[in-house]
Structure formats: C-alpha cells, structure tokens
Amino acid sequence: MAQSLKGNRPKMTRAEAGRLGGEATSKKYDRSFYQKIGRKGGETTSENHSSDFYQEIGSKGGKATARSHDRSFYREIGRKGGLR
C-alpha cells in the first residue's frame, strides 16, 4: 500500500476497498438480503432489455464456456442434467 497524502494511514487500492466493503456487507446482511437484491436486479434488467439481449449474452457465455472446457465437462453436465 502507498502512503496517503493525508496523515500516516496507508492508501487503499480500489480492489482492497471493494473487498473490505463486501466483507462488511456480508457480515451485516443474511442470505435473504442477497436473494432480494438479485431478484430486483433481474426484474429491472428484464424490464430494460428484450429477448435479443438474453440471446446475445447466452451465446457469449456459451462460447466462453466452450473455449475453457473440454468434452468431458459437457459429458459430466449432460449426465447430471439427466439425473432429475
């Protein structure tokens, strides 16, 4: 950490500040809080975007997954999907 211009406290990076803020939030709130804000975010996104948006991000995610996984990954998730 670099020294701050104000006082002798070490200067924090954005990553460090974000991590500390996230840790403080996770101590303050429970699982239902995160479920609630996730649902609100999803609802807002669906109000602001068409089905084309979801098709595009799904396609991008599928391509990224295909680049980083081999056939055994797809066999395994296919097997798990068939266990229902």
Side-chain angles (χ1 to χ4, degrees):
M1 281 191 236
Q3 289 288 30
S4 172
L5 297 176
K6 295 180 181 179
N8 292 327
R9 289 189 323 201
K11 189 174 180 181
M12 210 181 296
T13 66
R14 282 190 205 180
E16 291 167 325
R19 180 181 50 77
L20 290 174
E23 288 175 0
T25 302
S26 72
K27 288 178 184 174
K28 186 175 179 180
Y29 297 103
D30 63 2
R31 181 181 179 102
S32 66
F33 166 79
Y34 290 100
Q35 290 172 333
K36 182 178 178 182
I37 63 172
R39 188 171 24 262
K40 287 172 75 173
E43 289 170 359
T44 300
T45 300
S46 71
E47 291 168 2
N48 293 324
H49 296 282
S50 69
S51 61
D52 291 340
F53 169 79
Y54 289 100
Q55 288 174 344
E56 184 179 338
I57 63 172
S59 177
K60 287 180 180 180
K63 289 174 184 173
T65 301
R67 282 193 301 271
S68 61
H69 293 84
D70 60 10
R71 287 179 160 222
S72 64
F73 169 78
Y74 287 100
R75 274 195 297 271
E76 182 65 18
I77 64 170
R79 186 188 66 74
K80 288 179 179 179
L83 295 177
R84 293 178 187 201

